[in-house]
Amino acid sequence: MLRVAIDGPGGTGKSSIAKAVAERLGLEYIDTGAMYRSIALKSLRKGVDAEDEPAVVKMLEETLIDFEDNKVYLDGEDVSGLIRTNEISMAASTISKLGPVRAKVDEVSKRLASTKNVVMEGRDIGTAVIPDAEVKIFMTADSDVRAERRYKQLLEQGKEADLEVIKSEIEKRDYQDSHREINPLKQADDAVFLDTSNMTKEEVIDTVCELIAEKRQ
Ligand code: DC
């Protein structure tokens, strides 16, 4: 059994790193943030207030979430291409504070981690979802660096972007994710701390693969 837990704040490049590592080592990649994002998408579509717990609980009773082959499914619909917006990032951070929302995503995540060798990334994988993961990494980067990376990415996509706005959104989400009551973003005691501020993507992928190889011996 090999379960790799990668946690850290938004915008660190966790997703692309985790995906690349999973591909290189033949593991299954699971993006738990995508599941929170899908629930946020549904709440926005239905006009359900993310702070209104009873309304969210009612919505969850009629919601099916799954993650397979790098894609997230909301009630059977592949919504992977619809959830990467700023609006959904903030809405996911807000709705993920609710216990029933966390329980819903945890159930799917734990089921997936119990049947496959996985690289799972999120905010609470090493602390709560797979506390006995074989490898735990806490990945972070300076918020200036994260904002700069995001800014460049948006410009490359031909989109408009304001560096200061991006930075303040990143910091707001960091604060919200690390100060919520249930399973906040926090480094697990036994996680390896990895600051990627001055590393290239290839260097981070190599480092994570080396850490996994060391633990596997
Ligand atoms: O990793 P991401 O940016 O796609 O995550 C979106 C939001 O979902 C994040 O701001 C907080 C929430 N989240 C969480 O609470 N726990 C996780 N394991 C993953 C994401």
Side-chain angles (χ1 to χ4, degrees):
M1 198 79 181
L2 176 63
R3 294 147 317 156
V4 181
I6 303 183
D7 289 305
T12 48
K14 280 191 319 288
S15 297
S16 55
I17 302 293
K19 207 183 284 179
V21 168
E23 227 162 75
R24 198 187 278 186
L25 304 179
L27 308 168
E28 190 83 15
Y29 164 66
I30 314 287
D31 176 359
T32 60
M35 295 192 253
Y36 288 103
R37 284 171 183 268
S38 305
I39 294 173
L41 172 68
K42 183 158 179 176
S43 76
L44 290 172
R45 279 178 170 175
K46 294 208 155 269
V48 172
D49 180 356
E51 310 260 7
D52 181 351
E53 185 158 345
V56 173
V57 168
K58 196 161 175 293
M59 180 187 88
L60 287 176
E61 281 166 7
E62 296 148 8
T63 302
L64 223 98
I65 301 287
D66 205 1
F67 193 93
E68 216 186 305
D69 294 334
N70 292 352
K71 294 191 189 88
V72 65
Y73 294 90
L74 170 68
D75 300 322
E77 175 192 356
D78 176 6
V79 293
S80 314
L82 304 174
I83 54 170
R84 303 284 157 202
T85 66
N86 278 355
E87 188 190 18
I88 301 272
S89 299
M90 270 325 288
S93 174
T94 302
I95 211 161
S96 71
K97 287 191 270 185
L98 303 178
V101 172
R102 304 206 67 78
K104 182 103 185 174
V105 176
D106 280 3
E107 188 194 316
V108 182
S109 310
K110 285 181 177 163
R111 173 173 52 77
L112 293 171
S114 71
T115 55
K116 295 169 181 162
N117 289 330
V118 296
V119 179
M120 187 177 284
E121 56 113 345
R123 302 289 185 288
D124 61 342
I125 312 307
T127 52
V129 181
I130 325 176
D132 57 345
E134 284 70 26
V135 182
K136 293 186 190 179
I137 296 165
F138 190 82
M139 195 179 287
T140 189
D142 194 79
S143 62
D144 281 322
V145 175
R146 285 187 276 145
E148 191 79 42
R149 285 177 186 163
R150 180 76 185 134
Y151 177 68
K152 281 192 190 144
Q153 203 179 47
L154 288 169
L155 293 187
E156 276 164 20
Q157 292 167 0
K159 293 183 182 152
E160 274 186 35
D162 180 323
L163 186 59
E164 280 313 306
V165 171
I166 294 172
K167 190 169 176 236
S168 87
E169 279 174 357
I170 281 179
E171 287 173 350
K172 187 171 172 215
R173 199 147 71 96
D174 281 358
Y175 184 87
Q176 191 156 279
D177 291 347
S178 49
H179 286 81
R180 65 165 176 251
E181 219 167 288
I182 312 166
N183 297 338
L185 169 66
K186 189 168 139 266
Q187 183 178 351
D189 294 337
D190 51 351
V192 175
F193 181 81
L194 190 58
D195 184 342
T196 69
S197 303
N198 299 308
M199 294 170 83
T200 65
K201 188 179 159 190
E202 277 310 311
E203 284 171 341
V204 182
I205 295 168
D206 288 344
T207 306
V208 172
C209 287
E210 279 161 25
L211 287 168
I212 295 171
E214 276 168 28
K215 294 271 181 170
R216 262 180 153 174
Q217 279 169 9

